[in-house]
Amino acid sequence: MAVSSACNPQLLLSHKFPETTYTYTERDVAVYALGVGACGRDAVDTDELKYVHHENGQQFIKVLPTFSALFSLESLPDGLDLPGLTFEPRLLLHGQQYIEVHKPLPSNARIRNKVSLAGLHDKGKAAILEIETRSYEKESGELLSMNRTTVFLRGAGGFSDPSQPFTYSNYPANPAPAMKIPESVPFAIFEDCTQSSQALLYRLSGDYNPLHSDPMFAKVAGFSRPILHGLCTLGFAVRAIIKCICKGDPDMIKNISGRFLLHVYPGETLVTEMWLKGLRVIYQVKAKERNRAVLSGYVHLHRLASSL
Ligand SMILES: CCCCCCC[C@@H](O)CC(=O)SCCNC(=O)CCNC(=O)[C@H](O)C(C)(C)COP(=O)(O)OP(=O)(O)OC[C@H]1O[C@@H](n2cnc3c(N)ncnc32)[C@H](O)[C@@H]1OP(=O)(O)O
């Protein structure tokens, strides 16, 4: 098999990402919350209204822990236009997301992002790229979150010897392997409908990839119509976990891991099944209409809700 010249791992690994800054406001926090379905079933839901409204003013609204995943996208102003990486943007899919929440996020902040390459793997039919983003509050210098974003670049693999495919990782174990789902009855199940305009709303949080809005682009990418952002599905899932297991308290979330197993079409119903194992919640999301698993992973909690 010929070794393709699409990806030059040495060049890519030696790339130094510039530091970036990003400012968000209460408006961004509220638009994000609506984008991942908060208050979508009930505009006065007491568990969720706090993400968009506070009686004492917007500066007191709560921030969903998954909001920090936006920092990884904002930390790459040129996207994945990186030296040594050639890929077809229409074939890019979000593969996995890992989020460490170091502090509950303030309702507005100036962020300084430090980015590095956490992994690169040649899977033959695809290249897998892992980007790590550490986000600090600019004024205090405190670490707020760490994100590891895994992208699955279809057609960009085959750049190394197939008998010894290239693999590099800057961390010991993959924290988001395909999750083994328990056979027992779930501890909780939460069903939520996405709207057919869900991706059009979610993209206002900063991911303007046309895969989620342009029918022609989606067709070339292999889908019958635009699909939902993976991070939108993850937002729905973590919101379900906060509601059912954390009794509405988003600050209980310590870290989040998820693997996107299959695309979701906006308008589909997401069913999140949850199993509680100590302080770990194993979860799986199914697209109800197709009865297919679309996302699985785990969430670690700081503590359990006293009312559980
Ligand atoms: C930082 C800024 C970047 C911005 C990123 C975000 C941009 C967004 O706008 C883009 C999106 O939101 S796309 C929407 C969300 N994602 C999806 O819908 C993808 C869903 N998943 C799939 O389609 C398949 O799992 C698929 C296609 C991913 C894989 O399926 P298969 O081709 O059947 O793969 P398979 O043969 O099972 O496995 C091959 C090797 O790859 C590993 N792998 C599989 N799924 C993976 C996944 N989701 N993530 C990471 N790795 C994955 C397998 O383990 C396997 O490796 P090995 O052989 O070593 O086990």
Side-chain angles (χ1 to χ4, degrees):
M1 190 200 203
V3 173
S4 99
S5 60
C7 181
N8 179 335
Q10 278 69 37
L11 193 57
L12 196 46
L13 260 52
S14 63
H15 178 65
K16 297 275 174 278
F17 292 80
E19 265 189 36
T20 56
T21 54
Y22 167 61
T23 301
Y24 70 83
T25 67
E26 292 83 357
R27 187 176 187 279
D28 300 311
V29 168
V31 167
Y32 170 80
L34 296 173
V36 298
C39 293
R41 299 203 311 187
D42 178 2
V44 291
D45 182 326
T46 45
D47 280 342
E48 305 208 323
L49 192 55
K50 59 177 175 276
Y51 302 125
V52 292
H53 163 86
H54 193 283
E55 57 195 9
N56 297 332
Q58 283 302 93
Q59 70 269 35
F60 297 107
I61 61 170
K62 295 291 285 181
V63 186
L64 281 160
T66 43
F67 180 80
S68 76
L70 301 183
F71 304 159
S72 43
L73 205 74
E74 298 294 339
S75 68
L76 293 169
D78 299 325
L80 292 179
D81 187 7
L82 302 172
L85 182 66
T86 310
F87 69 100
E88 165 54 65
R90 290 175 293 194
L91 299 183
L92 175 151
L93 290 171
H94 199 159
Q96 295 179 168
Q97 189 72 24
Y98 173 66
I99 309 172
E100 280 176 9
V101 185
H102 288 264
K103 266 190 73 182
L105 295 172
S107 63
N108 66 76
R110 291 205 296 159
I111 304 287
R112 192 163 49 86
N113 287 313
K114 291 187 181 179
V115 184
S116 58
L117 193 69
L120 176 65
H121 314 276
D122 185 353
K123 297 291 182 190
K125 61 181 173 182
I128 291 182
L129 189 72
E130 300 177 275
I131 303 279
E132 188 173 296
T133 306
R134 289 181 180 272
S135 303
Y136 302 82
E137 194 171 26
K138 211 170 170 200
E139 277 72 29
S140 66
E142 280 186 285
L143 179 63
L144 292 179
S145 65
M146 189 278 267
N147 272 271
R148 204 174 286 128
T149 303
T150 303
V151 287
F152 193 92
L153 306 173
R154 291 176 290 168
F159 55 84
S160 58
D161 180 349
S163 64
Q164 278 181 303
F166 183 89
T167 185
Y168 162 82
S169 197
N170 77 347
Y171 59 99
N174 188 343
M179 185 51 62
K180 191 164 170 7
I181 298 302
E183 283 168 15
S184 54
V185 176
F187 177 85
I189 302 178
F190 189 76
E191 195 172 305
D192 220 347
C193 294
T194 63
Q195 301 299 312
S196 62
S197 58
Q198 202 73 48
L200 301 179
L201 174 60
Y202 180 84
R203 73 199 283 270
L204 302 180
S205 286
D207 184 348
Y208 295 100
N209 184 345
L211 178 61
H212 311 294
S213 50
D214 181 337
M216 281 317 293
F217 189 103
K219 277 215 165 61
V220 175
F223 303 104
S224 58
R225 57 200 162 98
I227 63 171
L228 199 59
H229 303 71
L231 288 180
C232 182
T233 309
L234 186 68
F236 268 80
V238 174
R239 213 167 44 68
I241 292 168
I242 293 170
K243 204 172 197 355
C244 298
I245 294 187
C246 304
K247 300 298 170 199
D249 181 358
D251 298 343
M252 279 191 193
I253 306 283
K254 188 174 175 195
N255 55 50
I256 300 163
S257 178
R259 178 180 272 210
F260 304 109
L261 305 170
L262 191 70
H263 58 279
V264 173
Y265 288 114
E268 288 188 309
T269 308
L270 298 177
V271 180
T272 304
E273 299 171 323
M274 302 158 239
W275 292 263
L276 191 56
K277 307 273 174 199
L279 289 177
R280 172 184 262 223
V281 182
I282 297 171
Y283 69 91
Q284 170 174 259
V285 181
K286 284 183 180 158
K288 188 179 181 185
E289 290 76 5
R290 287 178 288 156
N291 192 28
R292 298 283 303 274
V294 293
L295 166 64
S296 71
Y298 64 80
V299 167
H300 281 153
L301 307 175
H302 287 293
R303 58 184 187 283
L304 290 181
S306 51
S307 58
L308 267 190

